[in-house]
Amino acid sequence: MRYYSTNGKAPLATLEKAVVKGLAEDKGLYMPERIKPLPQEFFDNIQDMSLQEIAYQVADCFFGEDVDAESLRKIVYDTLSFDIPLVKVEKVKELKGEKELPIYSLELFHGPTLAFKDVGARFMARLLSYFSPLRGSQKGSVNVLVATSGDTGSAVANGFLGVEGIHVYVLYPKGKVSPIQECQFTTLGQNITAIEVDGVFDDCQALVKNAFMDEELNAKMQLTSANSINVARFLPQSFYYFWAYAQLKKTLSNSPLKGENLGKEASPLRGGLEGSVVCCVPSGNFGNICSALFGKRMGLPISRFIAANNANDIFYNYLQTGHYEPKPSKQTIANAMDVGDPSNFARILDLYGKSHEAICQDISGATYTDQQIAETMKRCLAETGYQLDPHGACGYQALRDGLQEDEVGFFLETAHPAKFKQTVDDICGGDIAIPERLQAFMKGTKQSVSMSKNFSDFKAFLMKQ
Ligand SMILES: *Cc1c(COP(=O)(O)O)cnc(C)c1O
């Protein structure tokens, strides 16, 4: 399979090049030349398959031509070493009488850093290692540089931890990252080096960009980025949409008294799920929802999507007006979605042949202020006992607001609420328990290299490695 650039001015790339380079020469985003549909048989039996098996079948459509079956299977199974359960958000009392709302949460926070980015980061690390020319060498033959303001660093560092042939340098701004975030990439050791930069996030990003442009450095070592626009981080996210559908199908078909799951009113669904499943994705850079749209192209029977935004409403406005107007990002309590110019918008436009009308047919939007997010978190907890995080709250509320009578909906719980403990406790008045995985990081010893924000210092450091 070859990959073209959304800007249309770069040569077609192999998978290897697309993964190692990340961005095309014309600064466009890579897209697979073809999207292979999965056979009907796959969807007929999907409810009986495991997460890993479903993911392998989907991965085969994208990567099967370029990665041998045994290696691809291993990459998929290693990546998905944790569960991604679909959980019913319990009964909503006194809403439309005593009806239960058919709303489910796809919990994507059971991985090492408790957020959905674990899936893409783990897959990319393993695929990069597969392509690494000196596979198995002790010293990293590929060096990944990543600048982080917090969450990307932890997902990437943990995704690449212990992966052969790769060394990761995480650059983060001193004193600007929360202690919970910091410990997730500074306590790992092995092939992960944390670099504490005396500056702000933009300084970290500038150091990384300068390193990619420095000829001497690139002649000495192979440098690459683990940016979220990389096809190897982005395409694997489609796996769990198929898995969500499989779980939904299983749940609904296993229950002869479907009223138990759906409420009597929802009985039309007994005939099948087709045409009735709505998927809601809390969105920032739009990589996650974009992989879901790829899934739909492959035949996944999801009838429509909702992109839930916080106060950064650029995509929402695009849907209403047909005009895309990037804005500076606004800081919100759902901060992983604080994006003012979502990079994967280019992919969505490309996928729909730049047709606003076609995009609106599949996707609707929603936008919520911090106050609305907080109210949703409090109300959902009181009514159902389900603890949302600020990002998932946007997804849940958008389903509550947009789900129609004969539809079943699931939203993505993109992070564990304990990752945002302070915010969540302040809003919900509780003391949310920190999962053991997260506690384990906090017990580790911080190891990091202090660095000035001058490129010459950073370069000298890399040259010595
Ligand atoms: C990254 C992130 C998002 C946004 O995902 P995109 O793919 O950028 O749209 C949402 N929630 C959490 C917790 C995230 O970390």
Side-chain angles (χ1 to χ4, degrees), residues 33-58:
E33 228 180 356
R34 278 168 292 120
I35 301 175
K36 291 189 203 165
L38 282 147
Q40 186 54 44
E41 197 191 354
F42 172 79
F43 294 105
D44 290 344
N45 300 321
I46 195 166
Q47 70 281 3
D48 299 322
M49 293 164 73
S50 68
L51 163 63
Q52 292 83 357
E53 192 51 34
I54 290 170
Y56 172 70
Q57 299 289 339
V58 177

Short mmCIF file of all heavy atoms in Angstrom, two decimals, residues 33-58:
data_model
loop_
_atom_site.label_atom_id
_atom_site.label_comp_id
_atom_site.label_asym_id
_atom_site.label_seq_id
_atom_site.Cartn_x
_atom_site.Cartn_y
_atom_site.Cartn_z
N GLU A 33 -3.63 4.91 0.16
CA GLU A 33 -4.17 5.04 -1.20
C GLU A 33 -5.54 4.39 -1.34
O GLU A 33 -6.39 4.83 -2.11
CB GLU A 33 -3.20 4.33 -2.15
CG GLU A 33 -2.85 5.13 -3.35
CD GLU A 33 -1.88 4.36 -4.24
OE1 GLU A 33 -1.43 3.25 -3.88
OE2 GLU A 33 -1.59 4.88 -5.31
N ARG A 34 -5.73 3.30 -0.63
CA ARG A 34 -7.01 2.58 -0.70
C ARG A 34 -7.47 2.26 0.72
O ARG A 34 -6.66 2.07 1.62
CB ARG A 34 -6.85 1.26 -1.46
CG ARG A 34 -6.88 1.41 -2.98
CD ARG A 34 -6.43 0.14 -3.66
NE ARG A 34 -5.01 -0.10 -3.43
CZ ARG A 34 -4.51 -1.17 -2.83
NH1 ARG A 34 -5.32 -2.12 -2.36
NH2 ARG A 34 -3.21 -1.31 -2.66
N ILE A 35 -8.79 2.19 0.89
CA ILE A 35 -9.36 1.72 2.15
C ILE A 35 -10.13 0.46 1.81
O ILE A 35 -11.15 0.51 1.13
CB ILE A 35 -10.28 2.78 2.78
CG1 ILE A 35 -9.49 4.07 3.03
CG2 ILE A 35 -10.88 2.27 4.08
CD1 ILE A 35 -10.34 5.23 3.54
N LYS A 36 -9.60 -0.67 2.26
CA LYS A 36 -10.22 -1.95 1.88
C LYS A 36 -11.41 -2.26 2.77
O LYS A 36 -11.27 -2.27 4.00
CB LYS A 36 -9.21 -3.08 2.05
CG LYS A 36 -8.06 -3.06 1.08
CD LYS A 36 -7.27 -4.35 1.24
CE LYS A 36 -5.85 -4.15 0.74
NZ LYS A 36 -4.96 -5.22 1.18
N PRO A 37 -12.55 -2.56 2.18
CA PRO A 37 -13.69 -2.93 3.01
C PRO A 37 -13.52 -4.34 3.59
O PRO A 37 -12.85 -5.18 3.00
CB PRO A 37 -14.87 -2.89 2.05
CG PRO A 37 -14.29 -2.97 0.69
CD PRO A 37 -12.87 -2.54 0.75
N LEU A 38 -14.10 -4.57 4.74
CA LEU A 38 -14.08 -5.90 5.33
C LEU A 38 -15.32 -6.67 4.85
O LEU A 38 -16.37 -6.07 4.60
CB LEU A 38 -14.09 -5.79 6.86
CG LEU A 38 -12.71 -5.44 7.42
CD1 LEU A 38 -12.82 -4.59 8.67
CD2 LEU A 38 -11.91 -6.71 7.69
N PRO A 39 -15.20 -7.99 4.69
CA PRO A 39 -16.34 -8.75 4.16
C PRO A 39 -17.52 -8.82 5.14
O PRO A 39 -17.32 -8.71 6.35
CB PRO A 39 -15.74 -10.14 3.93
CG PRO A 39 -14.56 -10.22 4.83
CD PRO A 39 -14.04 -8.83 4.98
N GLN A 40 -18.71 -9.01 4.62
CA GLN A 40 -19.92 -9.12 5.44
C GLN A 40 -19.77 -10.17 6.53
O GLN A 40 -20.22 -10.00 7.66
CB GLN A 40 -21.13 -9.44 4.54
CG GLN A 40 -22.46 -9.44 5.26
CD GLN A 40 -22.72 -8.12 6.02
OE1 GLN A 40 -22.47 -7.03 5.51
NE2 GLN A 40 -23.19 -8.24 7.27
N GLU A 41 -19.12 -11.27 6.14
CA GLU A 41 -18.90 -12.37 7.09
C GLU A 41 -18.21 -11.89 8.38
O GLU A 41 -18.52 -12.35 9.47
CB GLU A 41 -17.99 -13.37 6.37
CG GLU A 41 -17.94 -14.73 6.96
CD GLU A 41 -16.81 -15.54 6.32
OE1 GLU A 41 -16.16 -15.05 5.36
OE2 GLU A 41 -16.59 -16.65 6.81
N PHE A 42 -17.28 -10.98 8.22
CA PHE A 42 -16.57 -10.42 9.37
C PHE A 42 -17.56 -9.76 10.34
O PHE A 42 -17.52 -9.98 11.55
CB PHE A 42 -15.53 -9.41 8.87
CG PHE A 42 -14.85 -8.61 9.95
CD1 PHE A 42 -13.82 -9.15 10.70
CD2 PHE A 42 -15.23 -7.29 10.20
CE1 PHE A 42 -13.18 -8.41 11.70
CE2 PHE A 42 -14.61 -6.54 11.18
CZ PHE A 42 -13.58 -7.10 11.93
N PHE A 43 -18.49 -9.00 9.78
CA PHE A 43 -19.45 -8.31 10.64
C PHE A 43 -20.50 -9.27 11.21
O PHE A 43 -21.03 -9.06 12.29
CB PHE A 43 -20.11 -7.15 9.88
CG PHE A 43 -19.13 -6.08 9.54
CD1 PHE A 43 -18.65 -5.92 8.24
CD2 PHE A 43 -18.63 -5.23 10.52
CE1 PHE A 43 -17.73 -4.94 7.92
CE2 PHE A 43 -17.71 -4.25 10.22
CZ PHE A 43 -17.26 -4.10 8.92
N ASP A 44 -20.78 -10.34 10.44
CA ASP A 44 -21.75 -11.34 10.94
C ASP A 44 -21.22 -12.04 12.19
O ASP A 44 -21.98 -12.43 13.06
CB ASP A 44 -22.04 -12.38 9.85
CG ASP A 44 -22.84 -11.78 8.70
OD1 ASP A 44 -23.41 -10.69 8.90
OD2 ASP A 44 -22.89 -12.39 7.61
N ASN A 45 -19.90 -12.23 12.24
CA ASN A 45 -19.31 -13.01 13.34
C ASN A 45 -18.58 -12.16 14.37
O ASN A 45 -18.00 -12.68 15.32
CB ASN A 45 -18.31 -14.02 12.77
CG ASN A 45 -18.98 -14.99 11.82
OD1 ASN A 45 -20.10 -15.41 12.07
ND2 ASN A 45 -18.33 -15.29 10.70
N ILE A 46 -18.60 -10.87 14.18
CA ILE A 46 -17.74 -10.00 14.99
C ILE A 46 -18.00 -10.12 16.49
O ILE A 46 -17.07 -10.00 17.30
CB ILE A 46 -17.88 -8.52 14.50
CG1 ILE A 46 -16.75 -7.64 15.04
CG2 ILE A 46 -19.23 -7.93 14.85
CD1 ILE A 46 -16.63 -6.29 14.36
N GLN A 47 -19.24 -10.42 16.86
CA GLN A 47 -19.57 -10.49 18.29
C GLN A 47 -18.90 -11.67 18.99
O GLN A 47 -18.84 -11.71 20.21
CB GLN A 47 -21.09 -10.52 18.50
CG GLN A 47 -21.79 -11.80 18.08
CD GLN A 47 -22.01 -11.88 16.55
OE1 GLN A 47 -21.59 -11.01 15.81
NE2 GLN A 47 -22.65 -12.95 16.11
N ASP A 48 -18.39 -12.62 18.20
CA ASP A 48 -17.74 -13.79 18.81
C ASP A 48 -16.21 -13.68 18.77
O ASP A 48 -15.51 -14.62 19.15
CB ASP A 48 -18.17 -15.07 18.08
CG ASP A 48 -19.67 -15.29 18.20
OD1 ASP A 48 -20.22 -14.99 19.29
OD2 ASP A 48 -20.29 -15.73 17.21
N MET A 49 -15.70 -12.57 18.27
CA MET A 49 -14.24 -12.43 18.15
C MET A 49 -13.67 -11.61 19.32
O MET A 49 -14.36 -10.81 19.93
CB MET A 49 -13.89 -11.72 16.83
CG MET A 49 -14.24 -12.56 15.60
SD MET A 49 -14.25 -11.55 14.10
CE MET A 49 -12.49 -11.28 13.87
N SER A 50 -12.38 -11.84 19.59
CA SER A 50 -11.71 -11.08 20.65
C SER A 50 -11.27 -9.72 20.11
O SER A 50 -11.19 -9.52 18.89
CB SER A 50 -10.49 -11.85 21.16
OG SER A 50 -9.49 -11.89 20.15
N LEU A 51 -10.97 -8.81 21.03
CA LEU A 51 -10.43 -7.51 20.64
C LEU A 51 -9.22 -7.67 19.73
O LEU A 51 -9.12 -7.03 18.68
CB LEU A 51 -10.04 -6.72 21.91
CG LEU A 51 -9.12 -5.51 21.74
CD1 LEU A 51 -9.77 -4.43 20.88
CD2 LEU A 51 -8.73 -4.92 23.10
N GLN A 52 -8.30 -8.55 20.13
CA GLN A 52 -7.05 -8.69 19.38
C GLN A 52 -7.30 -9.26 17.97
O GLN A 52 -6.67 -8.84 17.01
CB GLN A 52 -6.06 -9.59 20.13
CG GLN A 52 -5.53 -9.00 21.42
CD GLN A 52 -6.47 -9.21 22.61
OE1 GLN A 52 -7.57 -9.75 22.45
NE2 GLN A 52 -6.05 -8.78 23.79
N GLU A 53 -8.23 -10.21 17.88
CA GLU A 53 -8.50 -10.82 16.58
C GLU A 53 -9.18 -9.81 15.64
O GLU A 53 -8.83 -9.71 14.47
CB GLU A 53 -9.37 -12.08 16.75
CG GLU A 53 -9.47 -12.95 15.52
CD GLU A 53 -8.12 -13.31 14.88
OE1 GLU A 53 -7.12 -13.48 15.61
OE2 GLU A 53 -8.08 -13.40 13.63
N ILE A 54 -10.12 -9.07 16.18
CA ILE A 54 -10.77 -8.03 15.38
C ILE A 54 -9.71 -7.03 14.90
O ILE A 54 -9.65 -6.68 13.72
CB ILE A 54 -11.85 -7.30 16.22
CG1 ILE A 54 -13.04 -8.23 16.47
CG2 ILE A 54 -12.31 -6.02 15.52
CD1 ILE A 54 -14.05 -7.68 17.48
N ALA A 55 -8.87 -6.61 15.84
CA ALA A 55 -7.85 -5.61 15.52
C ALA A 55 -6.90 -6.14 14.45
O ALA A 55 -6.50 -5.41 13.54
CB ALA A 55 -7.07 -5.23 16.78
N TYR A 56 -6.57 -7.42 14.54
CA TYR A 56 -5.67 -7.98 13.53
C TYR A 56 -6.30 -7.94 12.15
O TYR A 56 -5.63 -7.60 11.16
CB TYR A 56 -5.24 -9.41 13.91
CG TYR A 56 -4.47 -10.05 12.79
CD1 TYR A 56 -3.18 -9.60 12.48
CD2 TYR A 56 -5.05 -11.03 11.99
CE1 TYR A 56 -2.49 -10.13 11.41
CE2 TYR A 56 -4.36 -11.57 10.91
CZ TYR A 56 -3.08 -11.11 10.62
OH TYR A 56 -2.41 -11.62 9.55
N GLN A 57 -7.58 -8.30 12.07
CA GLN A 57 -8.27 -8.28 10.77
C GLN A 57 -8.28 -6.86 10.18
O GLN A 57 -8.09 -6.67 8.98
CB GLN A 57 -9.72 -8.78 10.90
CG GLN A 57 -9.86 -10.21 11.42
CD GLN A 57 -9.42 -11.25 10.40
OE1 GLN A 57 -9.38 -10.97 9.20
NE2 GLN A 57 -9.06 -12.43 10.87
N VAL A 58 -8.53 -5.89 11.03
CA VAL A 58 -8.56 -4.50 10.57
C VAL A 58 -7.14 -4.07 10.16
O VAL A 58 -6.93 -3.47 9.10
CB VAL A 58 -9.11 -3.55 11.67
CG1 VAL A 58 -9.08 -2.10 11.21
CG2 VAL A 58 -10.54 -3.96 12.06
#
